[in-house]
Amino acid sequence: GLSVIALYDETPVAVCAADSALTAVDELTLADLAGEVVIVPRDDVLRLDVPGALAPSFPTIDTTADAIATVATGLGVVIVPMSLARLHQRKDVDYRPLVDAPVSGVALAWRTDATTPLVDAFIGIVRGRTANSSR
């Protein structure tokens, strides 16, 4: 019942404290996170399994923003799409791309039965059409 237009793929990153040893390299792999406490907030969008990662010894954190604030204290890492790392950027955290983790797809979706002329116009804008373009 949904129509979908794929927009782009987003790189996952590991967010850690700015003074973490993980920031010594430009890129990380999932294996680099083995032995690290990986915080998975309730609003996690990636559902990524990190082999060898440690579970936090504290209750699940509700939001990505709160998870990143926790990471800033040096208590682990959180894995998010790069756009979320940038959204929640702080001076006391840094992030590194995870080169072997699956990318997350970003798409525009709408109910097929709710397609209207305004929705069609918006879809045209998303696809790069202008007022002078033809379908």
Side-chain angles (χ1 to χ4, degrees):
L2 288 179
S3 295
V4 178
I5 298 173
L7 299 175
Y8 59 92
D9 290 330
E10 189 152 18
T11 303
V13 299
V15 180
C16 57
D19 59 356
S20 169
L22 295 173
T23 62
V25 295
D26 292 333
E27 299 175 330
L28 296 168
T29 64
L30 291 172
D32 294 329
L33 300 180
E36 297 285 337
V37 174
V38 175
I39 300 169
V40 181
R42 287 191 207 289
D43 67 355
D44 176 50
V45 296
L46 295 178
R47 306 291 180 229
L48 186 63
D49 182 40
V50 180
L54 303 175
S57 60
F58 46 85
T60 302
I61 295 174
D62 288 329
T63 67
T64 297
D66 290 341
I68 290 175
T70 302
V71 163
T73 68
L75 292 175
V77 300
V78 63
I79 301 171
V80 296
M82 190 178 293
S83 63
L84 287 180
R86 288 179 175 162
L87 174 67
H88 298 293
Q89 183 66 38
R90 305 165 44 122
K91 348 183 248 196
D92 49 3
V93 299
D94 206 350
Y95 60 88
R96 296 293 184 265
L98 286 171
V99 295
D100 61 346
V103 296
S104 59
V106 177
L108 173 65
W110 68 97
R111 286 191 354 248
T112 302
D113 64 353
T115 302
T116 65
L118 285 175
V119 172
D120 279 336
F122 182 67
I123 293 165
I125 292 167
V126 168
R127 290 187 170 155
R129 292 189 200 121
T130 66
N132 298 326
S133 300
S134 66
R135 286 187 130 195

